[in-house]
Amino acid sequence: ALFTVESSAKVRAKLADSGIDAHEELVIRRVISDSGKNKVFINGVMATLAMLTDVCEGLINISGQHEHQVLLQPENHLDLLDSFGKAESLKARYEEAYKRYGRSLSELEHLMRAEKSRAERADLVSFQLDELEKANIEKGEDESLGEERKVLLNAEKLAGAATFGDELIYSSEDSIVGRLGEVLSRLKACAPLDSKLKAPEEAAENALFQLEDAALTLREYAGNMTFDPARLAAVEERLADLERLKKKYGPTLDDLIKTKESLALELDSFEGAGKSREALEARVAKEKEEALNIAGELSALRREASKRLSREVVHELGDLGINGAALEVVFRDLGGLKEKGLEEAEFFLSANPGEAPRALAKTASGGELSRLMLAFKQRTLGKEKVPSLIFDEVDAGIGGGTAEVVGKKLKSVSKNSQVICITHLPQIAALGDSHYKVAKRVEGGRTFTSIDILSPEERVDELSRMLGGVEITEMTKKHAREMLSKNA
């Protein structure tokens, strides 16, 4: 595709920004291989599809044969109105303000959810910390209590063993200490006679002292040993509590102590949390107010543009053969900020005098929609000054005199832009500066498509075929020549 961009400073600037030589002409070439891969060249430089889209924006506007269906979808009407009212800049400002507000609002909602979660966590942490603090756990407590429990469970057995030991060692008439004392007395008497008995004497004396100490200890142990059911119950209960806490917070008492310290630190961290909420709420309120102010400007611009649009489109429809039409733009308040502003818009049309305007989907015929879309194009594209316009069978649903009126309207558009029109109507084809014929043929089992520019005589034949069908008469050719001479 070859474009003349000598007068398009915007396109030339985009080319320069992309590192492509900005000539007076722009050549775009795309290579499509059998494998499906594509290559794009801009002025001979390989480029990406993104670069192609950016550079070509605004060079071509294509109106397809089904584009008038856009008018049947009310969600598109606001965009059409904004395009007519040149609201793009203000709309972009609003969209940016709305996004900022939306991001801050989402951040605030996230913070509020986090605060709720944090409060719930704080309640849990506080409960767990209180439980561990009330437990007053001491390091190694479970082991010492376990030992005490064994003693309490076996108090009678232990006391009996101690008493038996005391009696056998010391308290009975035939005690070990008594007999050992006799042995020691004899050794003391004989040791002066033989020095070899000195060592056994000392050993016997040491043993006697140790046995007396052991007997005293056993006597005291037995005397202090009592079976205390209340203490045993208290120990059992305390051990059960410690086991419950170990199952809940950790397998050992050391883990319980560490958990208590960790919970205390976590609870401290919650203090002061949420102080940023007030600042965030203030930012949300400020950004909402900014978005509302811009939305208000946008609403005012839309309402002013709607009056002009109704007036100008009705004028165009009159030129296109729909006289006495009325177009209204009906606004609906959305009750707050939305993605496109404060309102929705829908076009209501009355194509005949005396009828109240109704929604396009309920009132407009296919031909009326085609002409309505052409009227929109005439009023919006004339402002945008798009260099090349392609109309692909926008004349669907019309014929006769209306077709001639539509053709003349397309002709007037071509005064400011290059117009390529694909049509089956001779009334429109006759108005073109040049006429191309697109045809298919089958050769060798393959289908080929050709496009050829027609000579003046070939053009007469093609218009005759469009007028009269397969059989072309001299009368039909005469009519075709009259159409061409009339529109020359």
Side-chain angles (χ1 to χ4, degrees), residues 328-377:
E328 290 184 7
V329 182
V330 178
F331 292 96
R332 297 186 185 90
D333 187 2
L334 296 176
L337 295 171
K338 300 298 179 183
E339 187 175 358
K340 291 186 177 181
L342 296 171
E343 63 275 314
E344 294 177 334
E346 184 175 0
F347 299 144
F348 279 52
L349 175 70
S350 169
N352 303 294
E355 293 184 3
R358 300 173 61 196
L360 295 182
K362 297 179 180 179
T363 187
S365 65
E368 288 168 344
L369 285 173
S370 296
R371 281 176 280 177
L372 183 59
M373 177 54 77
L374 184 57
F376 273 106
K377 289 286 184 179

Side-chain angles (χ1 to χ4, degrees), residues 423-427 429-430 434-439 452-473 476-477 479-481 483-484:
T423 182
H424 290 285
L425 298 180
Q427 295 94 329
S434 58
H435 191 156
Y436 293 81
K437 179 180 179 180
V438 180
D452 299 293
I453 188 169
L454 302 180
S455 65
E457 192 56 38
E458 288 172 333
R459 190 172 183 184
V460 170
D461 292 338
E462 181 61 20
L463 285 176
S464 299
R465 185 194 63 75
M466 297 171 75
L467 284 166
V470 177
E471 185 177 350
I472 301 174
T473 64
T476 307
K477 286 188 175 183
H479 187 189
R481 289 191 180 93
M483 291 178 68
L484 286 172

Side-chain angles (χ1 to χ4, degrees), residues 106-142:
S106 296
E107 188 178 344
L108 177 60
E109 291 171 348
H110 175 76
L111 178 63
M112 293 173 66
R113 288 193 297 269
E115 284 183 349
K116 181 180 179 181
S117 176
R118 190 162 46 240
E120 293 172 352
R121 175 63 182 169
D123 289 342
L124 176 61
V125 169
S126 179
F127 170 79
Q128 292 176 333
L129 182 60
D130 183 63
E131 186 177 36
L132 289 172
E133 286 179 339
K134 285 181 178 178
N136 196 24
I137 300 165
E138 296 181 4
K139 188 175 181 66
E141 181 184 3
D142 55 344

Side-chain angles (χ1 to χ4, degrees), residues 63-68 370 390-397 420-424:
S63 299
Q65 57 180 314
H66 300 297
E67 190 179 11
H68 63 268
S370 296
I390 298 178
F391 294 93
D392 183 7
E393 298 191 38
V394 294
D395 48 26
I420 299 173
C421 184
I422 301 167
T423 182
H424 290 285

